[in-house]
Amino acid sequence: PSPWLSGLIPLDGQSFVRWETQRGCAFACSFCQHREAGQRLVKRSLCSDRIAAEVDLFCRSGVRDIAVLDPTFNMGAHAVDVLQRFAGGGYDGRLSLQCRAESTRPAFLDAASALHTHLEFGLQSIHREEGKAIRRTNHLARVDEVLANVRRAGISHEVSLIFGLPRQTLSSFEASIAWCLERHVPVIKAFPLLLLRGTALDRERARYGLIAEPGAMPKVIASASFDHDEWLQMARLSEALAATEGRHPTSIRTLRALAAELSPDDTRWRPAPLKEAA
Protein backbone atom coordinates (compact mmCIF):
# COMPACT_ATOMS: atom_id res chain seq x y z
CA PRO A 1 0.00 0.00 0.00
CA SER A 2 1.13 3.54 -0.72
CA PRO A 3 2.11 5.39 2.46
CA TRP A 4 1.30 8.64 0.67
CA LEU A 5 -2.10 7.80 -0.79
CA SER A 6 -3.21 6.05 2.42
CA GLY A 7 -2.24 9.05 4.53
CA LEU A 8 0.12 6.95 6.64
CA ILE A 9 2.76 9.61 5.93
CA PRO A 10 0.98 12.97 5.75
CA LEU A 11 2.30 15.55 3.33
CA ASP A 12 1.05 18.60 5.18
CA GLY A 13 4.01 20.91 5.67
CA GLN A 14 6.44 18.33 4.29
CA SER A 15 8.63 19.84 1.59
CA PHE A 16 10.98 16.86 1.09
CA VAL A 17 10.10 13.20 0.48
CA ARG A 18 11.89 10.02 -0.54
CA TRP A 19 9.91 8.13 -3.17
CA GLU A 20 10.19 4.88 -5.12
CA THR A 21 8.68 3.61 -8.35
CA GLN A 22 10.52 0.26 -8.52
CA ARG A 23 12.54 -2.08 -6.35
CA GLY A 24 15.54 -4.27 -7.00
CA CYS A 25 18.18 -3.83 -9.67
CA ALA A 26 19.00 -5.46 -12.99
CA PHE A 27 22.71 -5.52 -12.14
CA ALA A 28 24.79 -7.62 -9.74
CA CYS A 29 27.45 -5.30 -8.31
CA SER A 30 29.29 -7.28 -5.65
CA PHE A 31 29.35 -4.41 -3.09
CA CYS A 32 25.62 -3.63 -3.26
CA GLN A 33 22.75 -4.65 -0.96
CA HIS A 34 19.95 -4.14 -3.50
CA ARG A 35 19.13 -7.81 -3.16
CA GLU A 36 17.78 -10.29 -0.65
CA ALA A 37 20.36 -12.24 1.35
CA GLY A 38 21.97 -14.92 -0.80
CA GLN A 39 19.96 -14.28 -3.95
CA ARG A 40 19.31 -11.84 -6.76
CA LEU A 41 16.43 -9.43 -6.10
CA VAL A 42 14.46 -9.21 -9.32
CA LYS A 43 13.75 -5.64 -10.43
CA ARG A 44 10.05 -4.89 -10.40
CA SER A 45 8.02 -1.75 -10.90
CA LEU A 46 5.20 -0.67 -8.64
CA CYS A 47 1.65 -0.45 -10.04
CA SER A 48 1.40 2.23 -12.75
CA ASP A 49 -1.91 3.53 -11.36
CA ARG A 50 -0.31 3.96 -7.93
CA ILE A 51 2.69 5.79 -9.41
CA ALA A 52 0.44 8.13 -11.39
CA ALA A 53 -1.75 8.87 -8.37
CA GLU A 54 1.30 9.60 -6.22
CA VAL A 55 2.72 11.95 -8.86
CA ASP A 56 -0.58 13.84 -8.96
CA LEU A 57 -0.63 14.02 -5.16
CA PHE A 58 2.91 15.42 -5.02
CA CYS A 59 2.04 18.03 -7.65
CA ARG A 60 -0.94 19.18 -5.56
CA SER A 61 0.70 18.98 -2.15
CA GLY A 62 3.47 21.55 -2.41
CA VAL A 63 6.35 19.05 -2.04
CA ARG A 64 9.45 20.90 -3.23
CA ASP A 65 12.14 18.21 -3.26
CA ILE A 66 11.76 14.52 -4.18
CA ALA A 67 14.63 12.04 -3.91
CA VAL A 68 13.76 8.98 -5.99
CA LEU A 69 15.21 5.85 -4.37
CA ASP A 70 15.16 3.61 -7.46
CA PRO A 71 18.74 2.36 -8.06
CA THR A 72 18.39 2.94 -11.83
CA PHE A 73 15.28 5.07 -12.38
CA ASN A 74 15.93 5.69 -16.08
CA MET A 75 15.87 1.94 -16.82
CA GLY A 76 12.22 1.64 -15.80
CA ALA A 77 9.81 1.31 -18.74
CA HIS A 78 7.72 4.04 -17.13
CA ALA A 79 10.54 6.57 -16.59
CA VAL A 80 9.66 8.98 -19.41
CA ASP A 81 5.93 8.75 -18.65
CA VAL A 82 6.57 9.59 -14.98
CA LEU A 83 8.58 12.69 -15.86
CA GLN A 84 6.00 13.79 -18.40
CA ARG A 85 3.24 13.39 -15.82
CA PHE A 86 5.18 15.59 -13.38
CA ALA A 87 5.57 18.20 -16.13
CA GLY A 88 1.89 17.95 -17.07
CA GLY A 89 0.96 18.50 -13.42
CA GLY A 90 3.00 21.70 -13.32
CA TYR A 91 5.55 20.36 -10.84
CA ASP A 92 8.33 22.91 -10.41
CA GLY A 93 10.21 21.33 -7.48
CA ARG A 94 13.42 19.32 -7.65
CA LEU A 95 13.60 15.65 -8.69
CA SER A 96 16.80 13.74 -7.84
CA LEU A 97 17.14 10.60 -9.96
CA GLN A 98 19.73 7.81 -9.73
CA CYS A 99 20.50 6.73 -13.29
CA ARG A 100 22.64 4.32 -15.27
CA ALA A 101 24.58 6.46 -17.72
CA GLU A 102 24.79 3.90 -20.55
CA SER A 103 21.01 3.49 -20.53
CA THR A 104 20.21 7.21 -20.75
CA ARG A 105 18.31 7.86 -23.99
CA PRO A 106 17.39 11.11 -25.79
CA ALA A 107 13.69 10.77 -24.92
CA PHE A 108 14.59 10.56 -21.23
CA LEU A 109 16.83 13.62 -21.41
CA ASP A 110 14.10 15.54 -23.26
CA ALA A 111 11.63 14.72 -20.48
CA ALA A 112 14.18 15.55 -17.77
CA SER A 113 14.92 18.89 -19.45
CA ALA A 114 11.32 19.99 -18.94
CA LEU A 115 11.70 19.73 -15.14
CA HIS A 116 14.12 20.73 -12.40
CA THR A 117 15.90 17.37 -12.38
CA HIS A 118 19.21 16.35 -10.88
CA LEU A 119 20.72 13.20 -12.38
CA GLU A 120 23.01 11.06 -10.23
CA PHE A 121 25.32 8.76 -12.21
CA GLY A 122 27.22 6.03 -10.35
CA LEU A 123 30.47 5.51 -12.26
CA GLN A 124 32.56 4.07 -9.36
CA SER A 125 35.73 3.70 -11.47
CA ILE A 126 36.96 4.18 -15.04
CA HIS A 127 39.26 1.14 -14.83
CA ARG A 128 38.09 -2.15 -16.31
CA GLU A 129 40.04 -4.39 -13.91
CA GLU A 130 38.55 -2.61 -10.88
CA GLY A 131 35.10 -2.82 -12.46
CA LYS A 132 35.50 -6.54 -13.09
CA ALA A 133 36.50 -7.08 -9.45
CA ILE A 134 33.20 -5.56 -8.26
CA ARG A 135 31.14 -6.86 -11.22
CA ARG A 136 30.44 -3.30 -12.31
CA THR A 137 32.16 -2.48 -15.60
CA ASN A 138 31.38 0.67 -17.59
CA HIS A 139 31.15 1.38 -21.30
CA LEU A 140 33.26 4.53 -21.02
CA ALA A 141 32.70 5.77 -24.57
CA ARG A 142 28.95 5.62 -24.03
CA VAL A 143 29.23 7.27 -20.60
CA ASP A 144 31.31 10.05 -22.16
CA GLU A 145 28.67 10.58 -24.86
CA VAL A 146 25.82 10.72 -22.33
CA LEU A 147 27.64 13.20 -20.07
CA ALA A 148 28.22 15.43 -23.09
CA ASN A 149 24.51 15.26 -23.96
CA VAL A 150 23.56 16.08 -20.36
CA ARG A 151 25.88 19.10 -20.39
CA ARG A 152 24.41 20.33 -23.68
CA ALA A 153 20.90 19.96 -22.27
CA GLY A 154 21.90 22.01 -19.23
CA ILE A 155 20.67 19.36 -16.79
CA SER A 156 22.04 19.38 -13.24
CA HIS A 157 24.05 16.23 -12.61
CA GLU A 158 26.73 14.52 -10.56
CA VAL A 159 29.01 11.49 -10.82
CA SER A 160 29.94 9.27 -7.89
CA LEU A 161 33.15 7.28 -7.45
CA ILE A 162 34.25 4.74 -4.84
CA PHE A 163 37.67 4.59 -3.20
CA GLY A 164 39.00 1.46 -1.52
CA LEU A 165 38.02 -0.84 -4.41
CA PRO A 166 39.76 -4.17 -5.03
CA ARG A 167 42.78 -3.74 -7.36
CA GLN A 168 42.58 0.03 -6.94
CA THR A 169 45.65 2.17 -6.28
CA LEU A 170 46.01 5.81 -5.30
CA SER A 171 47.06 6.68 -8.85
CA SER A 172 44.16 4.79 -10.42
CA PHE A 173 41.70 6.59 -8.12
CA GLU A 174 43.23 9.92 -9.12
CA ALA A 175 42.85 8.91 -12.78
CA SER A 176 39.11 8.30 -12.25
CA ILE A 177 38.77 11.75 -10.69
CA ALA A 178 40.82 13.34 -13.48
CA TRP A 179 38.55 11.72 -16.11
CA CYS A 180 35.54 13.42 -14.49
CA LEU A 181 37.35 16.76 -14.13
CA GLU A 182 38.26 16.72 -17.82
CA ARG A 183 34.56 16.34 -18.63
CA HIS A 184 33.60 19.27 -16.41
CA VAL A 185 31.35 17.21 -14.16
CA PRO A 186 29.99 19.89 -11.79
CA VAL A 187 29.69 17.62 -8.75
CA ILE A 188 31.97 14.64 -8.19
CA LYS A 189 31.31 12.62 -5.04
CA ALA A 190 33.75 10.00 -3.76
CA PHE A 191 32.58 7.46 -1.18
CA PRO A 192 34.58 4.86 0.75
CA LEU A 193 33.95 1.23 -0.10
CA LEU A 194 31.82 -0.48 2.55
CA LEU A 195 31.88 -4.23 3.13
CA LEU A 196 28.16 -4.66 3.72
CA ARG A 197 26.86 -7.83 5.31
CA GLY A 198 25.62 -10.48 2.89
CA THR A 199 27.25 -9.00 -0.20
CA ALA A 200 29.43 -11.01 -2.56
CA LEU A 201 32.36 -8.69 -1.89
CA ASP A 202 32.11 -9.31 1.84
CA ARG A 203 32.56 -13.02 1.13
CA GLU A 204 35.48 -12.31 -1.22
CA ARG A 205 37.46 -10.01 1.09
CA ALA A 206 40.35 -12.48 1.45
CA ARG A 207 40.73 -12.75 -2.33
CA TYR A 208 41.67 -9.07 -2.54
CA GLY A 209 43.27 -8.72 0.89
CA LEU A 210 40.58 -6.25 1.98
CA ILE A 211 41.02 -4.89 5.49
CA ALA A 212 38.00 -3.15 7.00
CA GLU A 213 37.27 -1.27 10.19
CA PRO A 214 34.92 -3.08 12.58
CA GLY A 215 31.30 -1.97 12.85
CA ALA A 216 27.88 -2.39 11.27
CA MET A 217 29.00 -0.56 8.09
CA PRO A 218 32.75 -1.31 7.92
CA LYS A 219 34.90 0.79 5.59
CA VAL A 220 37.72 -0.86 3.64
CA ILE A 221 40.88 0.98 4.76
CA ALA A 222 43.61 -1.15 3.13
CA SER A 223 44.01 -3.99 0.64
CA ALA A 224 46.57 -5.90 -1.37
CA SER A 225 46.81 -2.95 -3.80
CA PHE A 226 46.94 0.04 -1.38
CA ASP A 227 47.98 0.61 2.21
CA HIS A 228 46.22 2.66 4.88
CA ASP A 229 48.31 5.76 4.24
CA GLU A 230 47.31 5.68 0.58
CA TRP A 231 43.68 5.18 1.65
CA LEU A 232 43.96 8.32 3.79
CA GLN A 233 45.22 10.23 0.77
CA MET A 234 42.20 9.01 -1.20
CA ALA A 235 39.94 10.09 1.67
CA ARG A 236 41.53 13.56 1.60
CA LEU A 237 40.82 13.77 -2.12
CA SER A 238 37.19 12.95 -1.31
CA GLU A 239 37.18 15.85 1.18
CA ALA A 240 38.62 18.18 -1.47
CA LEU A 241 35.86 17.16 -3.88
CA ALA A 242 33.23 17.82 -1.21
CA ALA A 243 34.74 21.24 -0.49
CA THR A 244 34.68 22.26 -4.15
CA GLU A 245 31.29 20.95 -5.33
CA GLY A 246 30.05 23.10 -8.18
CA ARG A 247 33.49 24.66 -8.61
CA HIS A 248 35.95 21.78 -8.88
CA PRO A 249 39.46 22.65 -10.06
CA THR A 250 40.27 21.70 -13.63
CA SER A 251 43.29 19.55 -12.81
CA ILE A 252 44.02 16.66 -10.46
CA ARG A 253 47.27 18.42 -9.45
CA THR A 254 45.32 21.38 -8.04
CA LEU A 255 42.87 19.08 -6.28
CA ARG A 256 45.76 17.08 -4.81
CA ALA A 257 47.32 20.27 -3.39
CA LEU A 258 44.00 21.24 -1.80
CA ALA A 259 43.53 17.74 -0.38
CA ALA A 260 46.92 17.87 1.34
CA GLU A 261 45.58 20.61 3.62
CA LEU A 262 42.47 18.65 4.65
CA SER A 263 41.70 15.86 7.13
CA PRO A 264 39.21 13.07 6.43
CA ASP A 265 35.85 13.71 8.10
CA ASP A 266 34.53 10.30 9.08
CA THR A 267 31.13 11.72 10.08
CA ARG A 268 30.31 12.40 6.41
CA TRP A 269 30.03 8.67 5.78
CA ARG A 270 28.13 7.63 8.88
CA PRO A 271 24.34 7.35 8.86
CA ALA A 272 22.76 10.02 11.03
CA PRO A 273 21.62 8.61 14.39
CA LEU A 274 17.91 8.41 15.01
CA LYS A 275 16.59 10.90 17.51
CA GLU A 276 15.08 9.35 20.61
CA ALA A 277 11.38 9.89 21.12
CA ALA A 278 10.56 12.54 23.70
Side-chain angles (χ1 to χ4, degrees):
S2 167
W4 314 111
L5 299 176
S6 67
L8 180 64
I9 302 178
L11 289 174
D12 294 343
Q14 189 160 318
S15 61
F16 170 75
V17 299
R18 293 182 175 89
W19 184 51
E20 61 181 351
T21 72
Q22 56 187 308
R23 292 185 178 177
C25 182
F27 301 100
C29 307
S30 64
F31 58 84
C32 183
Q33 273 188 330
H34 276 292
R35 64 185 64 220
E36 295 181 21
Q39 64 182 358
R40 184 83 166 267
L41 178 60
V42 178
K43 184 173 76 71
R44 59 183 184 272
S45 297
L46 302 181
C47 171
S48 59
D49 289 342
R50 165 183 167 164
I51 293 172
E54 288 179 333
V55 169
D56 294 344
L57 176 63
F58 294 149
C59 290
R60 296 192 307 266
S61 68
V63 171
R64 304 299 305 156
D65 195 353
I66 302 174
V68 181
L69 303 177
D70 306 2
T72 50
F73 173 81
N74 63 319
M75 294 188 65
H78 58 277
V80 172
D81 290 339
V82 168
L83 295 182
Q84 290 176 340
R85 193 171 188 98
F86 270 110
Y91 185 72
D92 59 358
R94 172 185 164 106
L95 282 170
S96 298
L97 310 169
Q98 299 180 61
C99 299
R100 177 81 179 207
E102 293 94 326
S103 302
T104 304
R105 306 301 176 201
F108 176 81
L109 291 183
D110 288 343
S113 297
L115 295 157
H116 180 194
T117 52
H118 179 72
L119 307 184
E120 303 172 0
F121 297 110
L123 183 63
Q124 321 314 354
S125 170
I126 66 168
H127 303 286
R128 186 162 186 81
E129 287 305 307
E130 293 171 19
K132 287 169 63 177
I134 57 172
R135 301 170 200 170
R136 175 67 168 82
T137 55
N138 298 294
H139 190 310
L140 272 187
R142 174 63 182 152
V143 175
D144 198 5
E145 176 188 2
V146 167
L147 289 178
N149 291 337
V150 171
R151 286 195 303 274
R152 279 193 291 269
I155 300 173
S156 174
H157 62 288
E158 68 182 59
V159 169
S160 61
L161 303 171
I162 295 178
F163 62 94
L165 294 173
R167 299 175 179 164
Q168 191 177 56
T169 64
L170 174 59
S171 62
S172 73
F173 178 58
E174 288 187 342
S176 290
I177 295 175
W179 189 91
C180 295
L181 293 176
E182 290 164 4
R183 282 143 186 87
H184 307 289
V185 175
V187 175
I188 306 168
K189 294 183 182 291
F191 299 97
L193 176 64
L194 303 178
L195 278 186
L196 300 177
R197 183 176 57 191
T199 61
L201 193 57
D202 185 31
R203 296 190 294 272
E204 296 171 348
R205 63 172 70 195
R207 177 181 180 184
Y208 301 107
L210 302 180
I211 299 173
E213 291 181 335
M217 300 179 70
K219 297 190 301 294
V220 172
I221 57 172
S223 79
S225 59
F226 61 89
D227 60 26
H228 185 52
D229 182 66
E230 290 167 324
W231 182 89
L232 288 173
Q233 292 181 65
M234 290 190 271
R236 292 188 188 100
L237 287 166
S238 173
E239 294 294 336
L241 290 171
T244 58
E245 286 186 4
R247 50 182 181 84
H248 294 313
T250 57
S251 74
I252 189 66
R253 179 180 297 179
T254 303
L255 188 76
R256 190 188 297 131
L258 176 61
E261 304 298 322
L262 301 174
S263 298
D265 179 7
D266 190 58
T267 62
R268 287 202 300 124
W269 304 311
R270 294 178 188 166
L274 294 174
K275 294 181 180 179
E276 294 184 5

